[in-house]
Amino acid sequence: MNRLVVIGYGMTAHRLVAELRTRDRRGLWQIVVLGEERHGAYNRIGLTDRLRGAEEARLMLGTQNAPGLQVRTHTRATAVDRPAREVVTAEGERLPYDALVLATGAVPARPPLPGAELRGCYVYRTLDDVNAIRRAAETAPGKRAVIVGGGLLGLETAEALRRHLGVRPHVVEAARHLMPAQLDLAAAEMLATGLSERGIHLHPGRALKSIDAGPDGAATGVTLTDETRIRADLVVFTAGTRPRDDLATAADLPRGERGGCLVDDDCRTTDPAIWAIGDCAAINGRRTGTVAPGYHMAATVAGHLTGNPTPPPPLSPAEPSTVLKLPGVDVASMGNPHPAGNATIELTYTHATPTPRYAKLILDPEANTLQAAILLGHPSAYPRLHALIGQELPAPAEQLLT
């Protein structure tokens, strides 16, 4: 029997194990999974639900108990000994492998600024991170917070703190407008108006200059590049991640230009016994960072490990797809809303009353095929358009928004 070691136990690793168990009908593989966190795999997309007060148990993914499978939580891999084909743990244990899958994910980015490590500053990536933010918000004397990053995660964090924990949130975004990767300026301004009316204070187009400390050494707020000072009891960083590729680097495996373990289309590294999937991988140098591509990678690797390398169904051309999950706010983006060049046609629809609505549909040069879309205030149109990305429109564009 061959031995597979998987380093990391997030959503992508969990899917890999499920795919492999389904395909490995002859029982070829014994699987050992090493996860650093105290928990088993959980739904990282649902972390905002935990911030809102949902029980941890609601986030947990199914337990994968089976003969030939060993899941070890609270276990950190510190090195990969490629010549010996062994993984070394923090306790000094050496685990042999016939195949190794790196699924180490990503870590949240802290700005390289004075005060970023102060007490009262938090990152948002794991269940323990969210629990720490909840505890800080519950006990904050002034109930004030600065969220650094006006993307999807930052806005969901701000609304959860405001609505469920009574915090007055300020959102700082260095880009010109909110959700810059998913929205255009018009949609972002409409979104900003609605969020401001809820009591979320927005500071787009301004970056952090420093995190300010009080006499006790804890964060008391931030100073922006325009010298605006914002008082806060806690500061939450939600502006980006970087791939956890340290094990790959130490093992002399190539990295992508922007980080991540460099792999080919089959998710294999330059070492034929080692694969990488999820946020830590860079397929031909390109990182993904969303769940759907990670699941696609998991299925690809499982197929190769079981001698059935038939590629899984291609990813939907609607990926990346993003939905902002705030009560009463319907914002969605699918496909690439910022295509390079001018080889597209853009159709824009704006309705100011009674409820503001906005839609931008990006079509091919012949105006037949839907390539991407931005929607605000069109909840019923999202599933319809999501299914049509990459396909010829079956009706005039404006009819698809009703």
Side-chain angles (χ1 to χ4, degrees):
M1 181 179 292
N2 297 319
R3 190 183 223 204
L4 169 67
V5 174
V6 181
I7 303 178
Y9 195 36
M11 297 174 70
T12 302
H14 187 272
R15 176 59 68 93
L16 170 66
V17 172
E19 291 277 355
L20 192 58
R21 287 177 56 200
T22 298
R23 298 164 185 251
D24 187 18
R25 296 185 177 89
R26 293 182 292 166
L28 300 175
W29 289 97
Q30 178 188 38
I31 308 170
V32 178
V33 183
L34 308 179
E36 282 192 11
E37 295 185 58
R38 60 184 174 89
H39 318 275
Y42 56 85
N43 178 9
R44 200 179 300 277
I45 300 172
L47 282 175
T48 306
D49 293 333
R50 172 59 186 153
L51 190 60
R52 297 182 184 119
E55 296 295 324
E56 288 187 3
R58 285 183 51 187
L59 274 66
M60 296 299 161
L61 300 178
T63 303
Q64 296 176 308
N65 294 323
L69 170 63
Q70 181 185 14
V71 175
R72 298 171 55 173
T73 58
H74 218 273
T75 302
R76 184 167 63 93
T78 57
V80 175
D81 186 340
R82 289 172 54 197
R85 287 199 176 184
E86 292 178 335
V87 172
V88 184
T89 70
E91 292 75 27
E93 186 178 4
R94 301 182 73 90
L95 303 173
Y97 65 83
D98 296 290
L100 172 65
V101 175
L102 302 173
T104 47
V107 293
R110 286 182 186 261
L113 293 173
E117 300 288 343
L118 288 173
R119 181 162 44 89
C121 293
Y122 301 88
V123 293
Y124 191 125
R125 179 68 181 177
T126 69
L127 189 50
D128 285 343
D129 292 337
V130 172
N131 287 336
I133 294 168
R134 273 189 60 85
R135 288 191 297 269
E138 288 168 346
T139 59
K143 292 286 186 176
R144 298 163 304 206
V146 169
I147 294 89
V148 181
L152 180 77
L153 181 58
L155 298 181
E156 289 186 352
T157 300
E159 176 63 2
L161 289 172
R162 183 199 70 83
R163 184 181 181 90
H164 298 276
L165 292 162
V167 172
R168 288 172 287 170
H170 289 254
V171 176
V172 176
E173 170 54 55
R176 181 184 178 190
H177 61 75
L178 301 177
M179 296 182 65
Q182 294 87 15
L183 304 182
D184 61 6
L185 180 59
E189 288 182 342
M190 292 178 70
L191 172 61
T193 299
L195 295 178
S196 297
E197 291 172 352
R198 289 172 176 243
I200 297 177
H201 305 279
L202 303 171
H203 306 269
R206 284 173 280 183
L208 283 186
K209 180 179 179 181
S210 66
I211 295 91
D212 306 325
D216 62 352
T220 58
V222 303
T223 299
L224 306 184
T225 48
D226 65 354
E227 301 301 332
T228 297
R229 300 190 69 183
I230 307 171
R231 296 178 59 195
D233 304 290
L234 61 153
V235 179
V236 182
F237 301 119
T238 66
T241 62
R242 59 178 178 81
R244 267 194 85 178
D245 53 14
D246 50 314
L247 283 176
T249 301
D252 200 26
L253 292 170
R255 297 169 67 249
E257 184 176 345
R258 297 186 178 181
C261 184
L262 188 64
V263 297
D264 61 17
D265 289 329
D266 294 326
C267 303
R268 197 192 300 259
T269 71
T270 53
D271 184 324
I274 302 178
W275 317 70
I277 59 176
D279 289 350
C280 73
I283 298 181
N284 297 318
R286 181 177 55 86
R287 292 180 57 212
T288 55
T290 55
V291 172
Y295 284 176
H296 194 269
M297 293 184 226
T300 298
V301 173
H304 281 279
L305 291 175
T306 53
N308 181 26
T310 303
L315 283 171
S316 165
E319 294 299 329
S321 178
T322 300
V323 178
L324 180 62
K325 297 181 292 185
L326 302 183
V329 177
D330 299 298
V331 178
S333 173
M334 61 206 84
N336 177 13
H338 307 297
N342 300 313
T344 57
I345 293 176
E346 297 182 357
L347 304 179
T348 302
Y349 305 88
T350 303
H351 302 273
T353 58
T355 301
R357 292 187 298 158
Y358 176 85
K360 175 181 282 187
L361 307 184
I362 300 173
L363 310 177
D364 70 331
E366 288 73 36
N368 293 323
T369 303
L370 183 62
Q371 296 185 339
I374 297 171
L375 301 175
L376 189 147
H378 291 276
S380 62
Y382 171 74
R384 182 184 310 121
L385 292 177
H386 188 275
L388 287 173
I389 297 290
Q391 300 185 34
E392 186 171 336
L393 296 182
E398 60 271 17
Q399 293 183 16
L400 299 173
L401 297 173
T402 59

